């Protein structure tokens, strides 16, 4: 056999120049700055409106329930809003009663605090003072005596400077002044609450009209996209608020009951405080826990009350955060943990404590908006919980950096809910298509091609023992990694694997000769095809294009080979070398059925490019299905091609492959 021809010379990588800056980017930056400034300087007007909108999302399910009970629209809204107001007032009264009760027992708690402080000082500061005093006395014994002046007084002594201390006392406030101070503290929250309730009532009364006006304002040209975005925002916000409110109430009840059992005074107050502060992401629970722990340490006769309080808050937050919240929120809230932290910092800077509470729902609205508005897509990429790269893009990126370990971990996760052939089609084939497009552009270097080849070999070899079966995840298994598909396309991952060829049941064996094209990625596609064919009961081997070139073709005998599969990413374009290869194969093996893949689904095979008897495949699953169908049309045992030099002299060596398929990389591929 003659030596393989040298590899083709590759043009230097040419990366397209970056787009020149345009006025669109500058306009976007200016618009963003203006929006941030408007949010900051208009917070006194925007905060009540935003609170009213979010309150309407929270009350809307209750309004819908009342309307299903045949209440009118106006009575339903009034009853729901005033019921919400009653709950808010009740919580305020409960907090006030608890504060009054604790203030009445404050002298008792003060004495307990003083005793503990004295004990702490005696065991910490007192011991430190004793050590310092001892050290000071030791220094005085060894230091020289101080010198005295003519009057016999120490130079260190200082005489008075004759200054007189003056203290300024303000007169006690009058009753009118006390009333004004009290009103100044109360009138602000009462005014904001009134504005929020009035705006929420009008939003609930004119909900459909406001929705239509927003559609007209934001996207009347694309009603489907705008309606989908608004429905998704309303659904996610309502679900988030209801789930969060239910969880917070449950956590508050558990904390109140637990503190009562421990014996901490004001247990109801700390439970309500915990329920309210849990709206602050991540740190809200621990702020309430810090207050409760400090109070328990102050009033408890020993340190046991403090320890049990810490255990109560830690266990409750762990169960609520790791078990209850994932069950209540479903798959996720739609935000990444990074987004929650950044949003909390940004909105607290813009709007203060209220912004900290509203940070999660506001950012969730922005992420939903970014999913449906092209110019705001960066918001979904930065703050959304969906993967930034699809599995195919991640596959290609990991190939470029030669990281097969992460790819194998991704494959194991994805294979929990899909068959091996589906994984190869959705992830590996799609990723190799991306690499093929970059090869056509001339931006892939020789070093990157080497990395891609090495990593892909490791992936195929690592999946050698994986059966091509559809495994649905059980309830106790972790969910598979995200496919990056839309919700309506998620059923693709459950597509059944190809048919299996049973040699005993069919009564004969069938061999498939896979011939890779001469492209850099064709051998990788051929390896995957051979692996899948062997897993489905066929004898398969892979040969490089060089073995079937015009100069080497005369040394090859294809008598008895029933199925020939040409695997190449160039199949769609049907280049001349593939057409000539197919004609030579047809002349030498007219009895063999020919299958050509992998063609592009978006650009099907040109019927005039190959022989009319050719069958094309767009995926690995179709390759296997077509080969299995062709094998069932055979009537007798066929001869495998692996290792043949002249005729069939090496055919007996393949007999063990009927029961135990060999490695994917055959001898011919290694010789290539």
């Amino acid at each position: 056999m003659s030596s393989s021809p040298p590899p083709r010379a590759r043009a230097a990588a040419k990366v397209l120049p970056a787009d020149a800056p345009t006025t669109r980017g500058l306009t976007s930056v200016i618009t963003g700055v203006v929006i941030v400034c408007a949010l900051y300087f208009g917070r006194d007007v925007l905060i009540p409106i935003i609170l009213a909108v979010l309150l309407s999302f929270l009350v809307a399910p209750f309004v819908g329930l009342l309307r299903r009970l045949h209440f009118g629209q106006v009575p339903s809204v009034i009853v729901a809003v005033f019921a919400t107001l009653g709950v808010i007032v009740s919580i305020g009264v409960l907090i006030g009663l608890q504060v009054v009760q604790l203030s009445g027992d404050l002298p008792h708690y003060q004495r307990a605090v003083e005793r503990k402080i004295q004990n702490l000082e005696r065991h910490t500061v007192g011991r430190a003072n004793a050590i310092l005093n001892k050290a000071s006395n030791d220094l005085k014994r060894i230091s020289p005596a101080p010198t005295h002046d003519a009057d016999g007084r120490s130079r260190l002594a200082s005489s008075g400077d004759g200054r007189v201390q003056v203290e300024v006392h303000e007169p006690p406030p009058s009753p009118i002044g006390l009333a004004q101070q009290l009103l100044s503290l109360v009138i602000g929250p009462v005014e904001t609450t009134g504005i929020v309730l009035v705006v929420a009532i009008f939003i609930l009364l004119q909900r459909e009209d406001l929705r239509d006006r927003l559609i007209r304002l934001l996207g009347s040209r694309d009603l489907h996209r705008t309606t989908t975005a608004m429905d998704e925002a309303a659904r996610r916000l309502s679900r988030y608020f209801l789930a969060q409110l239910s969880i917070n109430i449950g956590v508050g009840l558990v904390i109140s009951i637990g503190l009562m059992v421990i014996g901490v005074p004001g247990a109801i107050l700390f439970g309500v405080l915990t329920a309210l502060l849990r709206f602050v992401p991540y740190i809200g629970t621990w702020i309430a826990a810090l207050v409760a722990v400090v109070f328990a340490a102050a009033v408890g006769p020993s340190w046991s009350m403090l320890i049990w309080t810490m255990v109560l808050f830690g266990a409750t937050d762990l169960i609520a955060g790791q078990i209850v919240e994932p069950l209540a929120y479903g798959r996720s809230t739609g935000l990444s943990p990074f987004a929650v932290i950044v949003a909390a910092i940004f909105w607290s800077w813009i709007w203060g404590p209220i912004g900290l509470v509203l940070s999660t729902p506001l950012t969730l609205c922005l992420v939903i908006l970014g999913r449906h508005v092209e110019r705001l897509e960066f918001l979904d990429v930065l703050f959304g919980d969906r993967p930034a790269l699809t599995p195919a893009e991640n596959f290609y990126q990991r190939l470029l950096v030669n990281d097969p370990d992460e790819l194998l971990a991704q494959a194991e996760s994805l294979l929990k809910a899909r068959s091996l052939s589906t994984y190869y089609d959705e992830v590996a084939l799609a990723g190799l298509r991306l690499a093929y497009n970059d090869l056509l552009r001339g931006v892939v270097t020789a070093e990157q091609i080497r990395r891609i080849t090495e990593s892909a070999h490791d992936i195929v070899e690592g999946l050698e023992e994986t059966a091509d079966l559809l495994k649905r995840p059980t309830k106790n298994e972790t969910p598979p990694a995200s496919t990056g598909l839309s919700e309506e396309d998620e059923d693709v991952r459950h597509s059944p694997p190809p048919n299996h060829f049973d040699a005993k049941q069919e009564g004969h064996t069938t061999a498939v000769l896979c011939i890779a094209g001469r492209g850099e990625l064709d051998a990788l596609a051929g390896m995957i095809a051979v692996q899948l064919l062997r897993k489905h009961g066929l004898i398969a081997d892979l040969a490089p294009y060089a073995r079937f070139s015009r100069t080497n073709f005369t040394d090859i005998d294809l008598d008895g080979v029933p199925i020939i599969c040409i695997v190449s990413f160039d199949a769609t374009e049907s280049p001349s070398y593939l057409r000539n290869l197919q004609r030579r194969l047809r002349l030498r093996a007219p009895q063999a059925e020919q299958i050509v893949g992998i063609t592009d689904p978006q650009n099907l095979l040109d019927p005039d490019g190959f022989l009319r008897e050719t069958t094309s495949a767009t995926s690995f699953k179709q390759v296997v299905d077509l080969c299995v169908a062709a094998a069932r049309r055979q009537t007798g045992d066929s001869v495998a091609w692996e290792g043949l030099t002249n005729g069939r002299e090496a055919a007996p060596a393949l007999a063990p492959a009927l029961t135990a398929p060999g490695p994917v990389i055959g001898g011919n591929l290694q010789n290539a």
Side-chain angles (χ1 to χ4, degrees), residues 55 58-59 62 78-90 197:
L55 180 62
L58 184 61
V59 179
F62 187 33
I78 298 299
V79 170
V81 172
F82 277 94
T84 304
L85 178 61
V87 172
I88 296 174
V89 172
S90 300
L197 292 176

Side-chain angles (χ1 to χ4, degrees), residues 40 44-45 106 110 112 138 168 260 269 307 312-313 317 344 369 404 411 420 446 458 497 543 604 614:
Y40 181 78
D44 294 335
V45 177
L106 190 60
Q110 183 178 0
D138 294 340
V168 179
M260 287 181 184
L269 174 63
I307 296 174
L312 174 65
F313 274 93
D317 185 72
L369 190 62
L420 180 62
D458 292 338
L604 297 179
T614 301

Side-chain angles (χ1 to χ4, degrees), residues 295-602:
F295 192 77
V299 303
S302 61
W303 298 106
S304 61
M305 184 178 292
L306 179 145
I307 296 174
W308 282 111
T309 302
M310 294 175 61
V311 172
L312 174 65
F313 274 93
T316 305
D317 185 72
L318 179 64
I319 295 174
Q322 302 299 324
I323 299 177
V324 180
E325 287 184 351
L327 294 176
Y329 293 146
R331 290 185 178 181
S332 66
T333 59
L335 299 177
S336 65
F338 171 77
V340 175
I341 296 175
V342 173
I345 297 173
F346 174 78
W347 290 108
S348 60
W349 169 62
I350 294 292
W351 287 350
I354 296 180
L356 184 62
V357 176
L358 300 178
S359 60
T360 299
L362 289 176
T363 308
L364 181 59
C365 291
L366 294 177
V367 169
I368 295 173
L369 190 62
R371 292 181 181 178
H372 300 279
V373 180
E374 183 178 358
R375 283 194 174 188
L376 301 178
E377 186 180 2
F378 70 94
L379 294 174
D380 184 27
V381 175
L382 289 177
F383 303 128
D385 62 344
R386 297 192 299 183
L389 299 177
T390 64
E393 292 171 342
N394 187 265
F395 182 88
Y396 178 38
Q397 191 271 334
R398 292 292 92 189
L399 288 180
L400 288 174
V401 297
N402 197 10
D403 188 3
D405 295 334
E406 183 175 341
L407 284 177
L408 283 174
Q410 180 202 44
E412 293 175 358
S413 179
L414 292 172
L415 287 172
K416 293 180 180 179
R418 55 184 48 78
S419 62
L420 180 62
S421 56
T422 305
Y423 166 77
Y424 275 140
D425 285 335
E426 292 181 356
V427 181
L429 179 58
L432 291 177
R433 288 191 193 278
L434 296 175
Y436 176 73
N437 293 333
D438 285 345
L439 283 171
L440 295 180
R441 292 170 51 218
V443 298
V444 183
T445 63
E447 177 63 21
Q448 289 174 331
I449 294 176
R450 184 189 63 80
R451 294 176 184 175
I452 292 173
T453 304
E454 291 181 357
S455 299
H457 275 77
D458 292 338
I459 296 300
V460 177
E461 184 179 356
L463 298 176
E464 180 64 30
E465 303 300 327
T466 303
D468 191 10
L469 300 175
L470 178 59
K471 177 185 176 184
R472 295 182 181 273
T474 60
K475 295 182 179 180
N476 296 329
E477 285 182 335
T478 57
S482 173
T483 61
L485 302 174
S486 59
E487 294 181 359
E488 57 269 17
D489 295 334
E490 281 292 326
D491 56 345
V492 176
R493 67 184 187 183
H494 297 303
S495 60
N499 295 325
H500 186 80
F501 181 83
D502 190 347
K504 294 182 179 180
Q505 183 177 359
E506 300 292 338
H508 64 276
T509 60
T510 301
V512 180
L513 170 60
C514 293
I515 302 176
R518 64 184 186 184
E520 287 83 352
L521 303 178
D522 292 345
L524 301 179
M527 289 171 54
I528 298 175
V530 168
Q531 185 185 76
L532 291 176
L533 289 172
R534 291 182 175 181
K535 289 181 183 294
H536 287 271
L538 298 175
I539 305 173
D541 187 47
L542 179 64
Y545 171 79
R547 290 294 303 271
F548 296 88
S549 63
R550 183 177 293 103
T551 56
N552 297 331
F553 202 79
T554 56
D555 300 332
I556 297 175
D557 185 4
L558 295 177
D559 291 340
V561 178
I563 304 173
I564 299 176
C565 182
I566 302 174
V567 183
S568 175
F569 284 97
D570 298 330
T572 300
E573 289 75 15
S574 63
S576 58
Y577 84 90
L578 285 182
R579 295 197 300 269
N580 295 333
L581 171 63
Q582 191 187 27
R583 293 189 182 96
R584 290 194 296 269
L585 293 173
R586 180 63 66 194
L587 293 175
R588 185 62 61 85
Q591 79 288 349
E593 296 192 32
Q594 292 191 16
I595 299 171
V596 175
I598 304 288
T599 59
D600 190 351
Q602 305 298 329

Side-chain angles (χ1 to χ4, degrees), residues 64-71:
L65 177 62
L66 293 177
R67 296 190 65 178
R68 286 193 295 271
L69 296 176
H70 303 290
F71 279 78

Side-chain angles (χ1 to χ4, degrees), residues 120 129 146-147 212 225 290 302 404 422 436 446 600:
L120 286 175
N129 288 335
T147 58
D212 296 341
R225 174 177 293 185
L290 179 62
S302 61
T422 305
Y436 176 73
D600 190 351

Side-chain angles (χ1 to χ4, degrees), residues 590-651:
Q591 79 288 349
E593 296 192 32
Q594 292 191 16
I595 299 171
V596 175
I598 304 288
T599 59
D600 190 351
Q602 305 298 329
N603 188 11
L604 297 179
L605 187 66
D606 184 7
D608 297 331
F610 291 91
L611 297 180
R612 300 207 177 261
E613 297 81 4
T614 301
T615 305
S616 63
T618 61
S619 65
F620 291 118
K621 181 179 182 299
Q622 289 187 7
V623 169
V624 178
D625 284 336
L626 291 174
C627 290
V628 170
R632 288 174 176 170
R633 291 192 291 268
Q634 304 297 321
T635 58
D637 292 339
S638 59
V639 178
W641 183 83
E642 181 181 10
L644 290 182
T645 55
N646 291 313
R648 306 177 183 179
E649 59 188 35

